[in-house]
Amino acid sequence: MRSRFKFSLSDMLKQHRRWEKTIAKAVKVTRKALAPSAKPSPAAPAAKARTSAKPAAGLQEVKAFGSNPGRLRMLRYVPADLPKKSPLVVVLHGCQQTAQAYDLGSGWSTLARERGFAVVYAEQKRSNNGNLCFNWFRPSNVTRDRGEVMSVRQMVAKMASAHGIDRKRVFVTGLSAGGAMAAAMLATYPDVFRGGGVIAGLPYGAARDVHRALSAMKSAPERPGQEWGDLVRAASPVTGDFPTVSIWHGTRDHTVSLSNADALVQQWLDVHGLKIDAYAQNDVDGHVHRVWKDKDGRTAVELYLIDGMGHGTPLKPRPASRAKADTPGPYMLDAGISSSMHLATAWGLKKPPLL
């Protein structure tokens, strides 16, 4: 697929051979693992799932939260004395990661403690996917009120009932397979989420099986914007007031092609009824930032192109003297810009004023 982001196309072509090797490895891993489960994930940091009820970083497991048709784990972080009607952020890790590992890298629980909101992590199980990838490409898991998306929806409902969460301020973000699943949550439950952040992910409806998932990772399917938008419109009974979408992608990502960021932009611009060329552009921490606003002047879709970054979540580590957040690691990359911080700010999750 020909990307609209012309300045990055040459980088992608120059790295063609490296990319082919990456795909070959991904295919090999997938075929080997097809017996227990299907998994079209990119290579990702190996990590063992924790089974304790209280993992580090303040995450606590919630055992019962509904029928859980997707058979996921639910882990939460709730700051002490969290007021009623506080916001909630749902976070979805990447392949071969755990909730704890992603929280350590992204710093969402640290931001929640500082800014006064709750966090819930959905965590994949190896019994569902041997690579710990969310099954973003299986219709049975990304159809409203079915599978994994329903499990995540039930986690939101559990947090709302247990902690008095403001249902009008619920957000979702994720990396890679978790980013694709975040896009699926926005499409299937636009009445639940006010906004989302898709990091190195794929558009909703990009694939329906393992083979097509691997193909989409290499290059997003070629579809007009309206067809991409139709996939979202068909995913739920909602007819308007769709969530805002923030799309993040490294210009040298050779695991999930940059063309997927292009397709995501087309998909959500069509949903919001906006034109591809009607954007404002600025520089944020040395990276390209494009913004499309609705008729009321509010940001509906935004795109961050992280210059020179590969596959991962962009971070900006804090000084050692401050509370830990944005900790680099495998696929958690120091890019001089904090996606977690910018997403929280865009969603209005700001530090409370000093009294």
Side-chain angles (χ1 to χ4, degrees):
M1 180 176 182
R2 184 179 179 182
S3 173
R4 294 177 185 270
F5 311 133
K6 297 179 181 178
F7 61 88
S8 63
L9 184 58
S10 59
D11 286 331
M12 295 170 67
L13 293 174
K14 289 177 182 178
Q15 298 298 330
H16 180 72
R17 291 183 179 177
R18 289 180 57 190
W19 168 240
E20 291 298 332
K21 290 180 181 179
T22 300
I23 286 295
K25 290 180 181 179
V27 171
K28 183 178 180 181
V29 170
T30 299
R31 288 176 176 170
K32 184 179 179 181
L34 275 177
S37 62
K39 12 191 188 308
S41 67
K48 294 182 180 180
R50 292 184 176 266
T51 57
S52 61
K54 272 193 175 184
L59 299 184
Q60 296 179 315
E61 183 171 4
V62 179
K63 293 288 189 179
F65 56 89
S67 59
N68 189 18
R71 302 182 299 279
L72 303 176
R73 294 180 71 208
M74 173 183 175
L75 297 101
R76 68 185 175 190
Y77 177 79
V78 180
D81 303 318
L82 183 72
K84 297 293 183 181
K85 294 293 183 181
S86 292
L88 172 67
V89 175
V90 177
V91 186
L92 305 171
H93 60 78
C95 297
Q96 291 287 24
Q97 292 180 316
T98 62
Q100 179 184 335
Y102 196 80
D103 188 61
L104 175 64
S106 64
W108 274 109
S109 63
T110 299
L111 286 174
R113 183 172 62 252
E114 293 177 344
R115 301 191 178 197
F117 60 90
V119 179
V120 63
Y121 279 88
E123 186 175 88
Q124 185 60 281
K125 296 179 180 178
R126 290 197 184 276
S127 56
N128 294 334
N129 187 298
N131 282 343
L132 293 179
C133 307
F134 291 103
N135 291 301
W136 59 271
F137 55 94
R138 292 196 177 279
S140 59
N141 278 300
V142 293
T143 298
R144 185 178 171 104
D145 296 341
R146 293 181 63 189
E148 292 177 12
V149 294
M150 181 58 173
S151 292
V152 177
R153 171 68 182 91
Q154 290 177 341
M155 295 179 196
V156 173
K158 178 68 174 181
M159 292 294 290
S161 62
H163 303 288
I165 294 300
D166 184 352
R167 292 177 181 268
K168 294 182 179 180
R169 291 192 292 166
V170 179
F171 308 91
V172 61
T173 184
L175 164 67
S176 194
M181 187 57 78
M185 296 308 303
L186 295 171
T188 54
Y189 293 104
D191 49 338
V192 172
F193 297 98
R194 292 310 311 143
V198 180
I199 304 172
L202 299 94
Y204 181 68
R208 295 176 60 86
D209 55 42
V210 174
H211 178 74
R212 281 178 281 192
L214 287 168
S215 178
M217 289 164 58
K218 181 177 180 180
S219 180
E222 292 192 41
R223 292 174 181 151
Q226 184 175 342
E227 286 189 19
W228 283 118
D230 285 345
L231 291 168
V232 172
R233 284 183 286 270
S236 82
V238 175
T239 58
D241 196 23
F242 286 96
T244 63
V245 182
S246 182
I247 300 158
W248 297 68
H249 219 106
T251 61
R252 295 191 179 183
D253 188 334
H254 304 298
T255 301
V256 176
S257 166
L258 183 64
S259 62
N260 284 286
D262 187 6
L264 274 162
V265 167
Q266 292 184 61
Q267 183 169 64
W268 287 97
L269 287 182
D270 186 76
V271 168
H272 283 279
L274 301 173
K275 295 181 178 180
I276 189 77
D277 57 352
Y279 63 83
Q281 180 169 309
N282 65 332
D283 180 286
V284 178
D285 292 334
H287 305 286
V288 171
H289 178 224
R290 294 176 182 170
V291 178
W292 289 262
K293 294 186 176 182
D294 62 19
K295 58 182 175 55
D296 297 317
R298 295 172 299 191
T299 296
V301 179
E302 66 177 354
L303 169 69
Y304 284 88
L305 294 171
I306 311 305
D307 185 44
M309 191 183 80
H311 188 66
T313 294
L315 310 177
K316 186 177 183 179
R318 297 185 177 187
S321 60
R322 296 188 61 192
K324 288 294 182 184
D326 281 38
T327 302
Y331 295 87
M332 308 299 288
L333 307 177
D334 183 354
I337 183 172
S338 171
S339 54
S340 301
M341 186 80 71
H342 281 284
L343 286 172
T345 301
W347 295 337
L349 310 180
K350 300 178 181 180
K351 292 182 180 179
L354 297 175
L355 299 178

